[in-house]
Structure formats: structure tokens, C-alpha cells
Amino acid sequence: MFRKKVKILYVINDLSIGGAQRIVCNLAFFLSKKYEIHVLNLNFITNNELQKELMRFGIKVVDFKPMFKGDIRAIISIYRSIKKYKIDIVHSHLCMASFFSSCAALFAGVQNIVSTEHNTTIYSSNFWFYKLATNFYLRIGKKIITVSNAIKNIILEKNPSLEKTKVNTIYNGINLHIFDPQRYKHAKKRHLFDKKTVLIGTLMRNDPRKGFLTFSKCADKMKSLKKFQFCAGVNRKWNVTSDNILWIEFENSQDRVAEYLSSLDIFVLPSLEEGLGIVVLEAMAMGIPVIATNVGGIPELIQDGINGLLINPGNEIELEEAILKIYENEMLYEKTSNNGLLKAKSFSIDNMIQNHEKLYDSMMMNN
């Protein structure tokens, strides 16, 4: 196919815990050896847990030192990295990274510019910069990847002149070797109806859009039902108080996430906005019934009543009703658990990697 390795530069706002950051790591770890991977971390958030993981695996990480979030000097840093490593493909994730990368790639003469859109909210920001930046890099880039059809549809709706073949949905993939219930003793022992305490858990970063307030209000409403214990897996506690939530703080490695999920009886993702919701797939893969909000790309994962339950965002009453619905109906519990597990198996990292490689290869052949 290619006589030399194809050199890819991934550019991202930060390497803290998040779905976009995890995709970058998985691409860096699992792409074919015919690709040479470099990652440029703009460091717009200082918590860079995943950078350590990349470096442990020998991935070259370029550190930009910003003076502030959105430091425009990032364009120079990206440009220099493109030239230094003779980059063939510049692939960016998240708005600011995509804007700066597109500018740098243009100046450097790189034709293969790719951006991945992770959020359905790219046009809802009140900050003028994000709207202008998004319009710019969507037109400059050779290919646009969206992690769900919901995001793809929004982009095409807002940009009717954009060529449809330019926008490609590639779903996030999960590591089914890690997210395997047979590896964890908690999962093997789980049986909701024989337990004295039912664990209702969530897992999210510190972002109000993730809907933690809904989760907290539901925990308070169900406080009198002693059988139910709510728990939250987090890097640090939220500024939301509820004495019916057990805080579980841990380093967010995939193994630790899988172990945490294996201890739960029901998983909840109460997001107000969501591009796809990779943690939904991770919970499904662990054989846990999932309750999530009917937003963004989540309905592409969950068919209500078949492999999970969908509720409206910001509605703690619906969340309580959904929890009780699963708890009181063993057939529904088993049905959603088993079907969720089957659904998750079709979202493997292997599928995600293959689809990215096809995209990269088609761009290189068309140069």
C-alpha cells in the first residue's frame, strides 16, 4: 500500500479523562504499525492523566505550554511539529484544537486535515469564537468524523452546502478484553433480587452537562428506600451535596472503570447533552442494565425497553420511576442486561480502528 510509514499528528485540547481523549489514546495504541503516531497536547486543562498512559506505551507526546486557555501560539507549535516530524495527516479533536490545527496544516501545506466532532452542541455556544472556528475548520478539512449520526445530522443541517461524503460517522469503540464481566468477581456474583443493597451508580467527569444534579436529586428522593444506595465514580467530588451518594474517587484507568462498573446493579447516565456516551457502552459490556437520557447519540445505543431505558433529561422523577421499573421486573432486568451486552459487542475497538484506517488510506491514495 505505502512504501513508508504514514505519519499522523493527533492534536487535542488536553489529555484529561474524557471520551475524546480516550479515543485518541485508543487510536495511538491500536492503529497498525504502518502508521507513525505523534500526539500534541495543547494543555488547556492541567489534569493530564492520559498523557502518562500514552508515554508509558512509548507514544511521542508534544507538550504545548499555553499562557492561557485558547493561546493562539498553539498554531506555531502545531506547525513546527508538522514540519519536524514530516506529518502526512493532521487529525484534531475538539473545537479549539481543530481550529488551530487547520490553520497550522494550511500554512504547512498538509492536504490531509481531519477533525472529529464529539458533541452535539457545536453550534449552541454563545461564544462567537466557537461558531466562527467551527465553520472554518469544517470547510478547510478534507474529512470530518462524527462519533454519532446525531452529530452528523446537525452538521449537515447547519451546513447544507457541505458535501455529504465529507462527513463520516465512526462510532467510538471499547476494549472488550477489559470490559468483560467474566474478569470481575463482582459481576459474577451480581443478582439484583437476592441482594440487601442495590447499587445505583454513575460515572462522569466534573461537567454540569453530565446531569449530576438530576442524579443527586433522585438520590435524595429515594433516601427513604433503604435498599437503594447511590454511588458516583469520580476523579474528585462534585460541589453537589447528598448524603445518599457514596463517593468513589479513583484514578480513571480502563481497568479501574471496569472494576467499578462490575460492582453496580444499575447504571445511570443522566446527561443533559451527549455526543454518544461511551460509558453507556462500557456499562452494557459489563452486563449491567442502563438508564440514560434521550439526548444526542444515546438513542443510537439504547432502544427503550429492549436493551436499556431512556428518560427525558433533567427529570429526577422519571429517573426514579425507571430505577423502580427495573428493580420490580426481573424479566426486564435480564432482557435489558443481555441485550445490552450483545449491543456493546458490536462497538469494539477493532471496528473503530478498521474504520479509521480505511479513512486514512483513502485520503493517502487520493493525494
Side-chain angles (χ1 to χ4, degrees):
M1 175 73 71
F2 308 114
R3 293 183 179 179
K4 64 181 183 65
K5 284 191 174 185
V6 175
K7 297 181 179 181
I8 301 175
L9 177 66
Y10 290 114
V11 184
I12 191 161
N13 290 353
D14 60 84
L15 284 167
S16 60
I17 299 299
Q21 292 82 355
R22 178 53 66 188
I23 287 179
V24 169
C25 288
N26 285 335
L27 288 169
F29 296 153
F30 296 109
L31 276 176
S32 164
K33 297 300 181 184
K34 69 183 179 184
Y35 304 99
E36 180 179 305
I37 306 302
H38 301 265
V39 177
L40 196 151
N41 180 8
L42 294 176
N43 282 300
F44 290 157
I45 294 178
T46 56
N47 300 315
N48 288 317
E49 296 94 334
L50 294 181
Q51 178 161 326
K52 301 171 187 175
E53 197 170 324
L54 283 166
M55 295 176 72
R56 279 198 300 269
F57 279 82
I59 305 297
K60 173 66 178 178
V61 179
V62 180
D63 255 328
F64 174 61
K65 304 297 184 186
M67 295 177 65
F68 52 87
K69 183 178 180 180
D71 188 344
I72 199 168
R73 295 178 306 131
I75 296 173
I76 299 172
S77 180
I78 298 166
Y79 175 88
R80 288 174 176 167
S81 294
I82 291 171
K83 289 298 188 181
K84 179 178 180 179
Y85 300 112
K86 298 181 172 59
I87 296 299
D88 300 299
I89 298 172
V90 176
H91 186 168
S92 56
H93 298 256
L94 305 175
C95 180
M96 280 190 284
S98 293
F99 175 70
F100 293 148
S101 295
S102 297
C103 293
L106 274 179
F107 295 148
V110 174
Q111 298 180 32
N112 299 311
I113 305 171
V114 186
S115 63
T116 294
E117 291 299 330
H118 298 266
N119 302 304
T120 55
T121 55
I122 54 174
Y123 287 102
S124 62
S125 172
N126 293 322
F127 187 27
W128 61 268
F129 167 79
Y130 287 109
K131 294 179 180 179
L132 289 178
T134 300
N135 286 330
F136 173 77
Y137 68 73
L138 288 180
R139 283 162 176 74
I140 291 300
K142 193 170 187 177
K143 290 290 183 181
I144 301 157
I145 297 173
T146 59
V147 300
S148 68
N149 285 325
I151 302 173
K152 178 179 179 179
N153 292 338
I154 289 172
I155 289 175
L156 293 175
E157 178 187 339
K158 296 289 185 180
N159 300 272
S161 62
L162 204 63
E163 187 179 347
K164 290 184 179 180
T165 56
K166 184 176 180 176
V167 188
N168 305 265
T169 296
I170 299 180
Y171 287 110
N172 296 343
I174 60 173
N175 191 331
L176 295 172
H177 299 291
I178 292 176
F179 293 95
D180 176 3
Q182 296 305 312
R183 296 181 63 209
Y184 302 94
K185 61 181 180 181
H186 296 300
K188 293 175 185 177
K189 294 178 180 178
R190 184 191 303 116
H191 197 287
L192 180 67
F193 304 92
D194 292 337
K195 298 179 71 173
K196 292 182 179 179
T197 302
V198 177
L199 284 179
I200 315 296
T202 191
L203 177 68
M204 61 180 77
R205 68 177 184 273
N206 193 347
D207 185 333
R209 294 174 297 177
K210 293 299 180 181
F212 190 83
L213 187 58
T214 305
F215 185 78
S216 178
K217 287 180 178 179
C218 184
D220 286 336
K221 278 179 63 63
M222 299 183 71
K223 183 178 177 181
S224 61
L225 303 175
K226 302 298 185 182
K227 190 176 184 70
F228 297 95
Q229 173 66 65
F230 285 71
C231 55
V234 293
N235 290 89
R236 61 193 63 83
K237 290 184 180 180
W238 283 56
N239 295 324
V240 178
T241 58
S242 173
D243 55 8
N244 197 31
I245 294 178
L246 174 65
W247 296 93
I248 301 175
E249 297 183 74
F250 56 82
E251 185 178 342
N252 212 329
S253 69
Q254 290 188 84
D255 287 291
R256 186 66 184 90
V257 169
E259 183 181 3
Y260 165 71
L261 291 174
S262 76
S263 69
L264 302 179
D265 298 298
I266 298 173
F267 179 79
V268 174
L269 187 65
S271 301
L272 306 180
E273 304 165 359
E274 197 68 57
L276 184 69
I278 195 167
V279 71
V280 167
L281 290 172
E282 292 169 346
M284 284 179 167
M286 297 304 294
I288 305 165
V290 174
I291 301 168
T293 42
N294 189 11
V295 295
I298 291 177
E300 295 170 45
L301 306 179
I302 294 179
Q303 188 177 357
D304 188 38
I306 304 299
N307 63 350
L309 295 183
L310 292 174
I311 61 171
N312 288 313
N315 194 322
E316 66 272 13
I317 296 174
E318 284 191 24
L319 177 54
E320 179 185 9
E321 290 172 349
I323 291 169
L324 293 174
K325 187 175 181 180
I326 288 179
Y327 173 69
E328 293 168 357
N329 189 332
E330 187 168 0
M331 288 182 63
L332 180 63
Y333 177 91
E334 296 296 340
K335 178 183 179 181
T336 54
S337 299
N338 294 334
N339 289 337
L341 182 57
L342 290 174
K343 183 75 172 181
K345 287 182 177 178
S346 64
F347 288 82
S348 68
I349 278 184
D350 291 343
N351 289 340
M352 184 187 80
I353 294 297
Q354 288 171 14
N355 288 326
H356 276 83
E357 290 188 357
K358 286 178 185 177
L359 189 78
Y360 296 150
D361 292 351
S362 68
M363 287 194 300
M364 294 300 296
M365 287 189 293
N366 292 329
N367 280 348

